[in-house]
């Protein structure tokens, strides 16, 4: 009997390690796929708002199919109006993110997103009604010298992309903070569906106005259609499902550290696939190193002081 007990404990520990390793690989793969979103945004020739409309449309359809397959119910969730408004915020965030890519390039848009930690340090305490964290504010401010080198190194015609990218980072901090307040454990897929459905409704009113004023077509080219499908299914729906599964198995520290690698993957991919390292000043990479150092160091410092529960974006 005792041998059976020890054997079952051993098998349980072995299974737990295997599950954690699998979750670790799933989350890394998800973040790697997210790194392609900026690359695809640069390859797709459509205006940012129409690009986002197609991305949201395809993603909402795929999430609806997943919910039907799993027989999940979304009608019993509260705060539908809040989820709709969060969806509008997500739509504006994506428009600014891809607008930053169009005005500048993928590398600049990605590194601007790393400043969302600074905005979160100010916004989240207000949203979730907690005290300001001096440590979070200090770490948030530490990204500013890096942004100075990036702005100083870019040409004047690309600096508009930096400001639009910073707006995207602010909006990301805003909807992430509200998600942290209103997320319901075990209902992440349903809530994401409601939020993106709200984004789709908002964009469906915005896009026709753009088409009328700018005289542009909403129909993507053959290559844009291919890129949009990859963006929505491979780089949005798939990593979302994988990351949700992985986050249930990993510690807050591990998951936060891995997710913070998204700008690293994205900038490396932009250099390899788009050759953007040739058009960027060495001061840009100095700024990148400073910002990413702060982003990756923050979870290390936080883990020494207390255990935290992070909610995935």
């Amino acid at each position: 009997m005792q041998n059976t007990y020890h054997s079952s404990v051993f098998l349980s520990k072995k299974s737990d390690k295997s599950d954690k390793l699998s979750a670790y690989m799933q989350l890394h793969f998800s973040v790697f796929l997210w790194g392609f979103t900026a690359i695809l945004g640069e390859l797709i020739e459509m205006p940012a708002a129409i690009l986002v409309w197609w991305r949201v449309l395809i993603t909402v359809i795929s999430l609806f199919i997943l919910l039907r397959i799993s027989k999940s119910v979304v009608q019993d969730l509260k705060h539908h109006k809040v989820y709709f408004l969060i969806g509008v915020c997500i739509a504006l965030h994506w428009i600014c993110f891809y607008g930053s890519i169009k005005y500048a390039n993928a590398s600049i848009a990605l590194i601007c997103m790393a400043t969302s930690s600074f905005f979160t340090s100010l916004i989240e305490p207000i949203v979730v009604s907690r005290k300001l964290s001096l440590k979070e504010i200090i770490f948030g401010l530490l990204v500013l010298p890096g942004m100075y080198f990036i702005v100083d190194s870019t040409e004047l015609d690309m600096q508009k992309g930096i400001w639009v990218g910073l707006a995207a980072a602010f909006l990301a901090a805003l909807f992430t903070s509200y998600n942290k307040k209103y997320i319901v454990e075990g209902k992440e897929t349903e809530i994401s569906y409601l939020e993106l459905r709200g984004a789709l409704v908002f964009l469906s009113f915005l896009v026709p106005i753009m088409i009328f004023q700018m005289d542009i077509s909403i129909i993507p080219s053959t290559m844009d259609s291919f890129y949009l499908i990859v963006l929505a299914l491979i780089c949005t729906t798939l990593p979302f499902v994988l990351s949700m599964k992985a986050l249930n198995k990993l510690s807050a520290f591990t998951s936060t550290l891995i997710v913070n690698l998204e700008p690293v993957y994205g900038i490396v991919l932009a250099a390899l696939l788009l050759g953007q390292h040739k058009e960027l000043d060495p001061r840009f990479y100095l700024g990148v190193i400073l910002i990413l150092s702060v982003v990756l160091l923050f979870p290390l410092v936080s883990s020494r002081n207390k255990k935290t529960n992070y909610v995935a974006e």
Side-chain angles (χ1 to χ4, degrees):
M1 183 69 74
Q2 189 175 5
N3 288 337
T4 303
Y5 169 76
H6 286 301
S7 177
S8 63
V9 170
F10 173 75
L11 290 174
S12 177
K13 288 182 178 180
K14 187 175 181 181
S15 175
D16 186 53
K17 285 184 178 180
S18 177
D19 288 343
K20 284 186 177 180
L21 178 61
S22 176
Y24 182 83
M25 297 303 294
Q26 285 177 341
L27 188 55
H28 254 299
F29 184 58
S30 298
V31 174
F32 178 71
L33 291 176
W34 285 330
F36 279 96
T37 59
I39 309 298
L40 290 165
E42 188 150 334
L43 292 173
I44 295 171
E45 297 179 352
M46 308 181 81
I50 295 177
L51 183 164
V52 174
W53 183 81
W54 276 109
R55 180 185 185 182
V56 172
L57 175 64
I58 299 169
T59 303
V60 165
I61 293 171
S62 65
L63 286 175
F64 177 76
I65 293 170
L66 286 174
L67 290 171
R68 290 298 297 268
I69 292 173
S70 63
K71 298 181 180 179
S72 298
V73 179
V74 298
Q75 286 80 7
D76 63 343
L77 290 170
K78 298 179 181 179
H79 308 300
H80 277 245
K81 291 181 180 180
V82 173
Y83 297 139
F84 175 84
L85 292 174
I86 293 173
V88 172
C89 188
I90 291 171
L92 292 171
H93 156 69
W94 275 345
I95 289 172
C96 288
F97 177 68
Y98 289 110
S100 176
I101 293 171
K102 303 297 182 182
Y103 286 124
N105 58 40
S107 297
I108 286 175
L110 283 163
I111 201 59
C112 284
M113 284 304 303
T115 64
S116 60
S117 58
F118 168 66
F119 295 117
T120 302
S121 69
L122 300 175
I123 295 171
E124 186 182 333
I126 298 172
V127 172
V128 301
S129 301
R130 68 169 174 82
K131 292 181 179 179
L132 287 169
S133 168
L134 181 60
K135 178 181 63 180
E136 290 179 1
I137 294 174
I138 290 172
F139 269 87
L141 289 172
L142 286 175
V143 305
L144 298 183
M147 283 307 305
Y148 168 78
F149 283 112
I150 289 170
V151 172
D152 190 53
S153 69
T154 54
E155 297 178 5
L156 189 62
D157 61 343
M158 296 179 71
Q159 290 187 7
K160 187 174 181 179
I162 294 175
W163 296 114
V164 176
L166 291 174
F170 172 82
L171 290 164
L174 188 63
F175 78 73
T176 300
S177 298
Y178 275 100
N179 265 342
K180 186 165 185 176
K181 182 175 181 178
Y182 290 103
I183 201 78
V184 179
E185 190 174 354
K187 294 287 186 179
E188 293 89 352
T189 304
E190 291 92 328
I191 291 172
S192 293
Y193 170 73
L194 288 175
E195 291 177 351
L196 291 179
R197 191 175 68 180
L200 181 61
V201 172
F202 168 72
L203 289 166
S204 295
F205 281 100
L206 178 65
V207 167
I209 297 173
M210 289 187 58
I211 294 172
F212 177 75
Q213 290 186 342
M214 300 173 63
D215 191 26
I216 52 178
S217 174
I218 196 173
I219 306 301
S221 65
T222 302
M223 284 307 300
D224 277 357
S225 298
F226 171 74
Y227 290 142
L228 283 165
I229 291 171
V230 173
L231 175 63
L233 299 182
I234 307 298
C235 298
T236 306
T237 304
L238 176 60
F240 167 78
V241 173
L242 290 176
S243 64
M244 285 299 104
K245 290 181 179 180
L247 289 169
N248 290 326
K249 300 287 184 181
L250 298 174
S251 68
F253 165 69
T254 302
S255 58
T256 303
L257 190 61
I258 295 172
V259 171
N260 282 341
L261 290 172
E262 181 186 350
V264 180
Y265 286 141
I267 290 170
V268 170
L269 289 169
L272 293 175
L273 300 178
L274 303 177
Q276 290 187 352
H277 60 287
K278 298 175 182 178
E279 59 186 69
L280 294 170
D281 191 280
R283 288 171 294 170
F284 170 83
Y285 290 103
L286 175 59
V288 169
I289 291 170
L290 289 173
I291 291 174
L292 293 182
S293 297
V294 173
V295 170
L296 297 176
L297 183 62
F298 179 73
L300 290 169
V301 174
S302 297
S303 67
R304 293 179 180 178
N305 298 327
K306 61 179 179 179
K307 293 182 179 179
T308 55
N309 292 316
Y310 289 92
V311 178
E313 180 178 329

